[in-house]
Amino acid sequence: MSEFVAEVSDSSWESDVLKSDQPVLVDFWAPWCGPCLGLAPTVDAVAQKYQGKAKVVKLNVDENVESPAKYGIRGIPTLILFKGGQEVDRHVGVPANAKDHISNMIDKQL
């Protein structure tokens, strides 16, 4: 990943996402997904911007099937923001003005 974006898995989901004391933005992605790869630098920039205030993580949907199934992931990239273990916002696809859109998702929860 990067120094600002961590990889999570089904086995680390509860501790890394649901029990986090900060809002957590999860990027559901796959290495073969062109839009996912295109969005990655923006996700990394947002992670750097919110370092210490919110966590940004990625979950590979090919390697982890439980979490995507539980949250009804039908298309990627899907971004879901969690706070206090609950989903509070979601965006499917690459948003227009992606950095501003993702930042606004997080800002609403800080």
Side-chain angles (χ1 to χ4, degrees), residues 26-76:
V26 181
D27 178 6
F28 292 86
W29 76 291
W32 49 262
C33 167
C36 299
L37 298 176
L39 186 60
T42 302
V43 171
D44 190 57
V46 169
Q48 186 173 359
K49 176 181 176 181
Y50 289 95
Q51 187 178 16
K53 298 178 197 164
K55 288 173 46 178
V56 178
V57 300
K58 293 172 95 61
L59 184 123
N60 183 325
V61 299
D62 287 342
E63 297 174 356
N64 302 278
V65 296
E66 293 174 24
S67 302
K70 181 177 180 182
Y71 291 96
I73 304 302
R74 302 274 184 261
I76 53 173

Side-chain angles (χ1 to χ4, degrees), residues 1-32:
M1 297 294 92
S2 80
E3 65 178 291
F4 303 106
V5 179
E7 181 91 24
V8 296
S9 64
D10 286 337
S11 61
S12 70
W13 182 264
E14 186 172 344
S15 61
D16 288 342
V17 178
L18 300 181
K19 292 187 174 178
S20 175
D21 57 353
Q22 296 178 330
V24 181
L25 180 74
V26 181
D27 178 6
F28 292 86
W29 76 291
W32 49 262

